[in-house]
Every structure is written in C-alpha cells, then in structure tokens.
Amino acid sequence: MSKPFVLAHLSDPHLGPLPRLGIRELASKRLFGYINWRRSRRRLHQRDALDAITRDLHGRQPDHVAVTGDLVNIALPAEFAHARHWLETLGRPADVSVVPGNHDAYVAAAALHRDRHWSPYMSGDAQEGMSCAGAFPYLRRRGPVALIGVSTAIATPPFMATGRAGERQIACVANMLDDLRKENVFRVVMIHHPPLPSARHKCLIDAAAFQRVLAAVGAELVIHGHDHVHSLVWITGNGSRVPVIGVPSASAAATAKQRAGAYNLYCVDGGPGAWNCEMVSRGLRPSGAVAELNRFALSW
Ligand SMILES: [Fe+2]
C-alpha cells in the first residue's frame, strides 16, 4: 500500500517582535496597528508557542506545508525579511506554499517587499503554462495533490481587515479547478480570508462569487486562516460538497483553549473518485505541550 500524502496547514503566525518604527512609518495606518500590537497582540502571539507548533509539525514529517497568510503585522520592510528567515526554517520554497493575508498588505507599499522576500514561496511550478496573467492564482502539483494559491490581500483603511480575490482571479480559479477535475487530482485551494459570509469589517468582499465557483466546479479542500479559530463549513451545490476549513493562529499563546496555537494535517490517500482524507488537528495545551486535538475523516 502506498503511503498517504501529508499536507500540513498553519496560518497567521503574526511574527514578532516588531522592529523599530520611524516617524514616517508611523504616519499611516501602521500607527493603529502598532498601538494594537503594543496593547494586546504582542501578548497573544508568542514565539515560544509558534516554535512549539513548528517543532511538532516537523516531527510529523509532512510532504508539504501550506501557510495561509498574516506572517507579519504592520508590513514594515524588516518584517518581511524576518518572515523570510522563518519560512526558511519551515522548509525549502518547493516544500512550502504561502498565500498572503491582510496584514501582509497592511499598506499599499507592502507588495513590493512581500514579492521581494517571499516570491519563491508564492509561485507556481515552472512547467505549469499559466493560462492567467499575474502571480495569483498559482498552481503547484505535489504527489496526488494540486495546490492553488489565491491572494485576497489588499490594503484597506484603518480598522478594516477585508479582502478581495477579484474577478480575474476568480475566473482563473474556476478554470483551474475545472481543468484539474478532469485530471482527477486532489484539489486544494489555499486562501487567507474564508470564502464565506462574515462581519463587514473583515469579510472577503467577493465571497459570494468565490463560493459560487466552488459550488459549481467543486474542490476537495479549501484551507484558510484569518479568523484564528478552528472551523469547518461545507459549501454544497451542483452535486459537490466542498469542506472549507480554518485553523487558529499558529503563534497564539495557550491561554484560551479555543484560540490556542494549532495546525492541521491532511493525510490524503486513495485515488481519483475515491479519495480518503483524514484530518488531524494538533495544538498547544495549557502546559505548553502540543497534542492531538481532533481527528476525523472527510467524506464528500
Ligand atoms: Fe491574522
């Protein structure tokens, strides 16, 4: 019997500490984010928690790791370089796939630094003749799995954490999912904002359009971050059932049970038309140890 393909998913590490800020950098939305970090976020997101999670993840020897955004906090240039070093501890660009979150697009200038430092982790396979112009969505094939990386990261006004996939990207995702369905591969969509209804200040603006595509062409799995909690919602339609699964912040301190740092493992087995996928959630206990939280089989 062949070994299952194991995909690990973690999200929202919000790497700290924040570097020193200049006056010019504070004269923007970053000021609000900086105050927020000093007041609460720096206590919520702990490097010790993240290191415990990634140590445990490495121990499981996944075949691939997906990171669904919010690696940084207020998008200072030095944060992107720091996050690149962290990514290198996680794995080689070929083994780790990243999509950006709203904090990685905190101000408009962030895209430049993000692309400069992270692009090897956010690009499709060279042999994939991209039918769509632009970096996103990208497509990577690993074993029986096809990974589609979507960007919903846009700069927004203060107190807003919304995202947008955009018409072009949604059309590309629809084409990719449809083509891949004919190839009978296990299709995974990686996205920061959940393509689901949400509060106005933090929603995916075009969630309804994205959801319609998922319902029409299907996907075996959608993984996301953003909400910092465990979640599972099924999108149904046109004979397909698509599990949309969120994970808490990987760096959340083990103070509140529901929000403590965690990650998910997906063990993909079987074959076209008869996939098996066992999901295992592992997370921080109040003791600081990482243990299994939940385990169940997805069935479509
Ligand atoms: Fe986040």
Side-chain angles (χ1 to χ4, degrees):
M1 245 173 72
S2 63
K3 190 175 153 285
F5 183 92
V6 180
L7 171 68
H9 173 216
L10 62 83
S11 198
D12 299 75
H14 290 279
L15 293 157
L18 287 188
R20 281 181 179 278
L21 274 78
I23 294 291
R24 194 186 294 175
E25 289 161 337
L26 280 172
S28 69
K29 181 187 173 184
R30 285 184 176 124
L31 174 62
F32 302 99
Y34 182 70
I35 293 169
N36 196 5
W37 174 262
R38 298 289 308 174
R39 275 190 180 161
S40 63
R41 277 181 174 266
R42 69 185 170 132
R43 279 181 285 279
L44 176 65
H45 297 288
Q46 298 277 338
R47 185 61 191 237
D48 285 355
L50 180 62
D51 288 345
I53 288 289
T54 53
R55 245 191 332 270
D56 190 79
L57 183 152
H58 283 304
R60 307 283 132 186
Q61 299 185 310
D63 295 292
H64 199 79
V65 182
V67 185
T68 50
D70 281 3
L71 283 69
V72 304
N73 298 287
I74 56 174
L76 292 163
E79 287 187 272
F80 289 101
H82 177 53
R84 168 64 189 246
H85 292 308
W86 175 75
L87 282 172
E88 286 169 1
T89 67
L90 209 52
R92 300 176 307 152
D95 298 325
V96 179
S97 296
V98 174
V99 294
N102 50 294
H103 281 264
D104 308 320
Y106 210 69
V107 293
L112 191 73
H113 306 291
R114 193 173 67 227
D115 292 348
R116 185 171 146 223
H117 292 289
W118 302 355
S119 58
Y121 289 87
M122 302 191 301
S123 48
D125 293 336
Q127 66 271 28
E128 295 298 339
M130 291 292 293
S131 55
C132 306
F136 294 97
Y138 66 78
L139 172 61
R140 292 176 157 197
R141 294 167 189 271
R142 301 289 182 271
V145 173
L147 295 146
I148 298 177
V150 176
S151 175
T152 55
I154 52 168
T156 58
F159 310 115
M160 297 296 280
T162 47
R164 186 197 300 273
E167 274 179 37
R168 182 198 63 81
Q169 204 178 185
I170 291 174
C172 287
V173 170
N175 287 337
M176 279 180 176
L177 286 172
D178 200 29
D179 289 347
L180 292 164
R181 175 171 55 174
K182 291 163 197 154
E183 292 182 34
N184 288 318
V185 290
F186 190 94
R187 301 164 297 171
V188 179
V189 176
M190 305 173 293
I191 187 168
H192 179 69
H193 294 79
L196 301 167
S198 181
R200 199 169 152 263
H201 71 282
K202 57 179 286 196
C203 68
L204 180 65
I205 293 163
D206 41 14
F210 206 98
Q211 209 173 316
R212 277 196 296 275
V213 162
L214 292 171
V217 293
E220 278 59 53
L221 178 63
V222 176
I223 51 176
H224 69 84
H226 195 49
D227 291 338
H228 297 200
V229 293
H230 292 283
S231 62
L232 166 58
V233 174
W234 289 87
I235 292 175
T236 55
N238 202 26
S240 58
R241 275 162 49 81
V242 181
V244 178
I245 304 181
V247 68
S249 160
S251 63
T255 46
K257 199 176 168 194
Q258 192 191 12
R259 287 174 168 253
Y263 72 101
N264 291 335
L265 292 164
Y266 296 93
C267 308
V268 179
D269 209 349
W275 293 112
N276 299 315
C277 181
E278 186 177 50
M279 179 186 138
V280 181
S281 288
R282 296 184 61 82
L284 277 173
R285 297 291 196 192
S287 65
V290 176
E292 186 173 317
L293 306 174
N294 198 4
R295 175 186 291 257
F296 64 92
L298 294 172
S299 65
W300 294 269

